[in-house]
């Protein structure tokens, strides 16, 4: 007998069981952050900051006390250069990972094999698409309204929530871009709100202190609070590299259960083990 969708109060048991059941029901969303790309060698945000400072001829101390980090620098770059085209080209060239590394990545292999119907990512890079390509699994990439309308049904939708290198106008890179997204009413935001209301969410590769991801989590919570049906919200989870009781309490209030890496493992090892455990449950219960 097929499992029936359940509400928040009815979803009990280990996170791996809940996520496996949601994937089988095609009611699960994976949200992938920069930590997953860094696991296969993508440069850190610091490399982007260093490039911006060098390109603009700025001293390192200019960013001391600056709110917004690379976003504010990218805003200044746009003002000085008249656009972000050259910056986007630099990112596209330098934030590439050898497809062989992605093909060898256990983490990326598991992401593909788990067969989430929808994968959202705030990463600009093409590592997820490359993983699907090298493993021969079809997908549809979505970064704008046109691609929402034309996306092939029945395949994994990889939604580039902060844009894609193939479309400069889709990139959420400068401070103005991020502030404009606070309204949470772009076509991708509308799509996400609809998806999130019907799905169990799993966030991986994120720092839970990132203000952008915290805003997103708060907006999901707010949507359910205002719906009058908060008790029916599907469970959601965030894999974190280091447990933090303060973060756990705040996120729990927003309906997000944190899952940490087991003692004695690195964040990447712990996440790989966690996803493998979900895959094992899917293989057992088919």
């Amino acid at each position: 007998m097929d499992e029936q969708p359940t509400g928040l109060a009815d979803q009990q048991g280990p996170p791996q069981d809940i996520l496996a059941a949601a994937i089988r029901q095609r009611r699960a969303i994976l949200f992938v952050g920069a930590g997953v790309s860094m696991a296969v060698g993508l440069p850190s945000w610091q490399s982007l900051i260093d490039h911006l400072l060098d390109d603009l001829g700025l001293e390192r101390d200019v960013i001391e006390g600056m709110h917004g980090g690379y976003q504010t620098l990218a805003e200044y770059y746009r003002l000085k250069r008249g656009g972000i085209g050259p910056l986007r080209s630099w990112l596209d060239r330098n934030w590439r990972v050898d497809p062989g590394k992605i093909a060898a990545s256990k983490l990326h292999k598991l992401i593909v094999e788990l067969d989430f119907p929808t994968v959202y990512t705030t990463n600009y890079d093409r590592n997820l698409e490359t993983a699907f390509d090298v493993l021969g699994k079809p997908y549809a990439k979505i970064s704008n309204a046109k691609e929402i309308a034309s996306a092939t049904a029945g395949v994994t939708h990889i939604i580039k929530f902060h844009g894609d290198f193939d479309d400069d106008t889709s990139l959420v890179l400068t401070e103005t871009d991020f502030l404009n997204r606070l309204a949470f009413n772009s076509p991708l935001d509308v799509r996400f709100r609809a998806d999130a209301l019907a799905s169990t969410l799993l966030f991986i590769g994120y720092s839970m202190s990132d203000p952008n991801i915290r805003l997103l989590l708060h907006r999901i919570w707010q949507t359910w609070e205002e719906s009058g049906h908060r008790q029916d919200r599907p469970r959601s989870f965030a894999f974190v590299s280091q447990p933090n009781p303060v973060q756990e309490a705040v996120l729990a209030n927003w309906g997000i259960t944190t899952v940490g890496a087991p003692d004695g493992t690195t964040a990447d090892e712990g996440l790989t083990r966690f996803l493998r455990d979900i895959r094992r449950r899917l293989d057992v219960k088919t």
Side-chain angles (χ1 to χ4, degrees):
M1 179 181 296
D2 292 339
E3 296 180 56
Q4 297 300 311
T6 56
L8 175 60
D10 299 321
Q11 290 183 310
Q12 303 299 325
Q16 296 93 323
D17 283 342
I18 295 169
L19 285 159
I23 292 170
R24 283 194 297 272
Q25 297 163 5
R26 313 303 291 163
R27 297 168 66 88
I29 292 174
L30 182 64
F31 221 106
V32 178
V36 172
S37 288
M38 290 179 187
V40 290
L42 192 81
S44 68
W45 290 116
Q46 186 60 47
S47 70
L48 172 57
I49 291 173
D50 290 341
H51 170 73
L52 286 166
L53 290 172
D54 291 340
D55 195 304
L56 294 165
L58 299 173
E59 298 296 330
R60 293 302 187 264
D61 61 5
V62 75
I63 62 172
E64 293 180 7
M66 181 186 294
H67 176 73
Y70 77 86
Q71 299 159 13
T72 304
L73 282 174
E75 185 75 33
Y76 183 67
Y77 181 98
R78 175 181 278 167
L79 292 172
K80 298 294 286 186
R81 298 286 191 264
I84 63 166
L87 176 58
R88 191 272 305 159
S89 296
W90 180 88
L91 284 167
D92 197 8
R93 291 192 307 272
N94 290 274
W95 282 27
R96 288 179 180 269
V97 175
D98 186 328
K101 284 188 177 181
I102 298 175
S105 168
K106 296 177 182 178
L107 180 54
H108 282 79
K109 186 172 186 288
L110 282 165
I111 289 172
V112 175
E113 291 179 344
L114 281 170
D115 195 29
F116 281 83
T118 306
V119 178
Y120 280 80
T121 181
T122 49
N123 299 342
Y124 309 119
D125 62 72
R126 297 188 176 95
N127 290 346
L128 284 176
E129 297 96 298
T130 300
F132 277 74
D133 285 336
V134 299
L135 292 170
K137 186 163 188 276
Y139 65 92
K141 182 188 72 175
I142 298 172
S143 62
N144 54 47
K146 177 182 176 181
E147 291 171 347
I148 290 176
S150 63
T152 302
V155 301
T156 297
H157 286 182
I158 299 177
I159 300 179
K160 308 295 285 285
F161 204 59
H162 281 175
D164 181 72
F165 288 142
D166 291 336
D167 178 7
D168 283 4
T169 62
S170 73
L171 291 174
V172 181
L173 182 59
T174 71
E175 190 168 27
T176 294
D177 296 332
F178 279 92
L179 291 174
N180 287 342
R181 287 298 292 273
L182 293 179
F184 208 48
N185 61 4
S186 76
L188 293 186
D189 294 323
V190 173
R191 164 75 189 259
F192 178 69
R193 285 203 303 269
D195 285 345
L197 286 171
S199 303
T200 292
L201 311 181
L202 172 61
F203 293 82
I204 63 173
Y206 285 100
S207 166
M208 289 298 107
S209 61
D210 183 331
N212 300 299
I213 196 65
R214 292 180 74 82
L215 173 64
L216 181 65
L217 296 176
H218 179 266
R219 286 290 170 79
I220 299 169
W221 169 82
Q222 186 178 45
T223 298
W224 275 102
E225 287 293 302
E226 293 173 353
S227 75
H229 298 280
R230 62 176 298 187
Q231 72 279 2
D232 298 310
R233 176 182 174 179
R235 294 280 297 278
S236 292
F237 304 92
F239 189 91
V240 296
S241 57
Q242 295 182 335
N244 181 309
V246 175
Q247 294 277 34
E248 290 173 11
V250 173
L251 292 173
N253 185 58
W254 292 347
I256 309 293
T257 300
T258 54
V259 180
D263 292 340
T265 65
T266 66
D268 293 343
E269 291 169 345
L271 177 56
T272 299
R273 183 183 299 183
F274 179 69
L275 295 182
R276 187 181 294 122
D277 207 4
I278 298 171
R279 172 63 191 271
R280 189 178 300 117
R281 285 161 164 77
L282 286 169
D283 289 341
V284 170
K285 297 181 180 180
T286 56

